């Protein structure tokens, strides 16, 4: 498919939760035809969930060529035309999803959307028309997966992660011996376990001094909504590690046909000695590969367990697409220094570690004083 000229381009605006079956099908086809857009955060089901639960600001710009829908940009429009990628702060992948060969003019797109600025922080690297607006690129670790075939989990683990296998399997056996038989449920459908995960995660946010995402009703409602979605291009997957009948760790994240996104992980602090978070991610990787997933996306951010598990890294962009407008200039002056300071702290262990200790101290004080929302901190899934 050749690139659209301005004369041929036609852009229409829709609410994501009201897209027709035809448009959703065209969006799915665009995901299938371009592997870089196979991430579940780029699916229409995620955009529709945000549209239903985040106050009605979500929109989708649909690009047409000769009457055929060929591109889809989900976004949120705030006051004065300030826009942001759909689910900014929650989504680990952002893009204008399009069929191969389609391009667009960023200025024309913003104008059609009624935006003076569009902020993003996990932009797919292939989004060349937005390239001039990227202020920084960052590593997003991923795990390449394959079906383990006839081998069992222990065999897969020894082959895929020989450096982790011995210690991890030993901790699993110890968990069985001390608490109860360890078992892993990859696709748990009990909504009570989803609520338990959110309770654990809220406590973790407060304990570490970070913003409690689940203190926001719209995020709780969104996660509960996505848990119920069971479609080919988007399925909400809840995984749980049990010891006997007692849940030890849980994870919730979306998957498409080929990509599984690691999103919210939490565990019972009583079992921290057994490394339940690492056990969870290893078990998820093996089960997802057996289920046809070919990539587990762990999202942007430096974490030790990501370094242990990753097979390679993608690159994602951060920045502000703008068109000449006083609001755009003011927004950039306000947001860029904040992002710059945050990225400086995250990029330097000598700064990041004291900042984490300070947040944990503050979180401990808040926890002892009673329930409260934690201080703002970036990307604390």
């Amino acid at each position: 498919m050749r690139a659209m000229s301005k004369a041929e381009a036609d852009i229409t605006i829709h609410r994501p939760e009201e897209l027709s079956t035809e448009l959703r099908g065209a969006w799915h086809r665009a995901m299938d035809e371009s592997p870089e857009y196979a991430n579940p955060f780029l699916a229409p089901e995620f955009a529709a969930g945000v549209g239903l639960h985040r106050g009605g600001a979500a929109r989708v710009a649909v690009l047409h060529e000769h009457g055929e829908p060929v591109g889809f940009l989900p976004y949120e429009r705030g006051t004065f035309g300030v826009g942001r990628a759909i689910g900014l702060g929650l989504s680990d992948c952002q893009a204008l999803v399009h069929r191969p060969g389609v391009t667009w003019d960023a200025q024309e797109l913003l104008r059609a959307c009624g935006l003076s600025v569009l902020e993003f922080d996990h932009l797919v690297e292939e989004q060349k028309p937005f390239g001039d607006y990227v202020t920084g690129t960052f590593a997003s670790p991923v795990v390449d997966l394959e079906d383990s075939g006839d081998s069992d989990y222990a065999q897969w683990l020894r082959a895929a992660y020989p450096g982790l296998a011995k210690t991890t399997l030993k901790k699993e056996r110890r968990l069985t011996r001390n608490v109860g038989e360890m078992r892993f449920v990859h696709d748990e459908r009990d909504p009570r376990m989803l609520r338990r995960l959110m309770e654990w995660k809220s406590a973790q946010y407060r304990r570490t001094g970070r913003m409690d995402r689940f203190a926001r009703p719209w995020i709780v409602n969104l996660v509960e909504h996505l848990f119920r979605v069971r479609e080919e291009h988007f399925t909400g997957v809840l995984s749980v590690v049990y010891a006997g009948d007692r849940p030890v760790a849980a994870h919730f994240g979306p998957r498409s046909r080929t990509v599984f996104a690691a999103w919210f992980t939490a565990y019972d602090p009583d079992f921290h000695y057994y490394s339940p978070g690492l056990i969870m991610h290893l078990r998820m990787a093996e089960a997802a590969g057996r289920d046809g997933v070919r990539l587990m996306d762990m999202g942007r951010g430096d974490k030790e367990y990501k370094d242990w598990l990753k097979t390679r890294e993608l690159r994602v962009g951060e920045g502000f697409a703008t068109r000449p407008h006083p609001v755009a200039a003011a927004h950039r002056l306000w947001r860029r220094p904040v992002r710059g300071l945050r990225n400086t702290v995250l990029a330097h262990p000598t700064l990041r570690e004291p900042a984490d200790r300070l947040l944990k101290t503050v979180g401990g004080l808040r926890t002892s004083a009673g329930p409260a929302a934690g201080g703002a901190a970036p990307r604390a899934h």
Side-chain angles (χ1 to χ4, degrees):
M1 181 177 292
R2 61 187 176 82
M4 292 188 296
S5 70
K6 290 185 179 180
E8 296 167 327
D10 177 36
I11 301 173
T12 57
I13 308 299
H14 309 257
R15 292 182 179 272
E17 66 272 27
E18 297 175 357
L19 283 180
S20 67
T21 301
E22 178 187 7
L23 288 177
R24 289 166 69 95
W27 191 335
H28 289 149
R29 285 193 296 275
M31 293 177 67
D32 291 340
E33 292 175 4
S34 301
E36 61 268 29
Y37 303 134
N39 192 291
F41 286 117
L42 300 180
E45 289 80 7
F46 179 73
V50 175
L52 285 169
H53 298 290
R54 200 175 189 176
R59 298 290 185 273
V60 177
V62 180
L63 281 63
H64 304 262
E65 182 180 31
H66 303 303
E68 180 183 3
V70 296
F72 304 84
L73 175 70
Y75 65 96
E76 297 174 55
R77 188 180 189 278
T79 55
F80 305 111
V82 174
R84 56 188 180 184
I86 195 84
L88 188 79
L90 288 175
S91 167
D92 286 338
C93 190
Q94 301 150 5
L96 189 156
V97 178
H98 61 83
R99 299 184 65 184
V102 171
T103 189
W104 65 93
D105 180 86
Q107 294 289 305
E108 179 185 350
L109 179 64
L110 291 177
R111 192 174 299 109
C113 295
L115 299 178
S116 56
V117 58
L118 177 66
E119 183 177 356
F120 49 84
D121 65 357
H122 284 73
L123 185 72
V124 172
E125 189 174 30
E126 287 77 9
Q127 300 276 281
K128 302 304 181 186
F130 286 140
D132 290 341
Y133 305 100
V134 173
T135 58
T137 61
F138 304 88
S140 185
V142 298
V143 182
D144 293 292
L145 303 175
E146 58 184 30
D147 189 346
S148 54
D150 295 331
S151 65
D152 62 17
Y153 169 74
Q155 292 173 313
W156 170 86
L157 183 60
R158 292 187 183 103
Y161 295 100
L164 297 174
K166 183 177 180 180
T167 300
T168 302
L169 292 172
K170 183 178 179 180
K171 289 185 175 182
E172 291 189 3
R173 290 192 297 269
R174 188 171 294 162
L175 183 61
T176 292
R177 184 170 62 250
N178 295 343
V179 185
E181 182 177 359
M182 201 212 88
R183 58 190 177 92
F184 172 72
V185 179
H186 180 54
D187 189 13
E188 174 64 81
R189 300 311 302 161
D190 186 347
R192 294 174 298 179
M193 284 312 308
L194 182 65
R195 291 192 289 272
R196 178 72 63 88
L197 167 61
M198 290 191 279
E199 290 169 0
W200 281 341
K201 198 67 182 177
S202 285
Q204 177 192 335
Y205 286 143
R206 295 194 300 269
R207 191 168 59 248
T208 56
R210 285 167 167 80
M211 181 189 69
D212 181 3
R213 299 185 187 282
F214 293 114
R216 299 185 175 187
W218 80 265
I219 295 181
V220 173
N221 293 337
L222 172 64
V223 169
E224 290 178 342
H225 168 86
L226 297 178
F227 172 68
R228 296 189 294 269
V229 177
R230 311 285 288 178
E231 301 291 345
E232 181 181 9
H233 292 80
F234 189 103
T235 296
V237 180
L238 174 66
S239 300
V240 183
V241 171
Y242 293 92
D245 292 330
R246 184 169 178 180
V248 172
H251 171 274
F252 177 75
R255 64 156 288 181
S256 66
R257 292 170 58 217
T258 57
V259 178
F260 179 47
W263 204 16
F264 291 110
T265 305
Y267 56 85
D268 186 332
D270 290 345
F271 297 100
H272 70 92
Y273 173 76
Y274 301 97
S275 303
L278 181 61
I279 290 174
M280 171 63 70
H281 281 85
L282 289 168
R283 288 277 181 172
M284 287 193 307
E286 192 272 341
R290 195 181 291 276
D291 202 31
V293 172
R294 292 297 165 256
L295 193 75
M296 184 166 78
D297 189 339
M298 295 187 287
R300 168 185 164 186
D302 295 323
K303 295 289 184 181
E304 189 175 37
Y305 77 88
K306 295 183 182 182
D307 289 334
W308 292 341
L309 299 179
K310 70 182 180 183
T311 56
R312 58 189 173 95
E313 295 176 342
L314 305 178
R315 303 294 297 182
V316 295
E318 175 179 288
F320 310 85
T322 61
R323 62 189 180 96
H325 195 283
V327 170
H331 187 79
R332 286 172 64 91
L333 286 172
W334 170 56
R335 289 291 289 160
R336 285 193 68 172
V338 174
R339 283 196 175 278
L341 177 60
R342 182 204 67 184
N343 292 333
T344 298
V345 171
L346 292 178
H348 294 83
T350 55
L351 298 176
R352 185 174 66 244
E353 292 171 8
D356 275 342
R357 286 197 298 270
L358 176 60
L359 285 171
K360 289 176 182 177
T361 300
V362 173
L365 292 173
R366 285 176 172 161
T367 301
S368 63
R379 314 304 307 166
H381 294 348

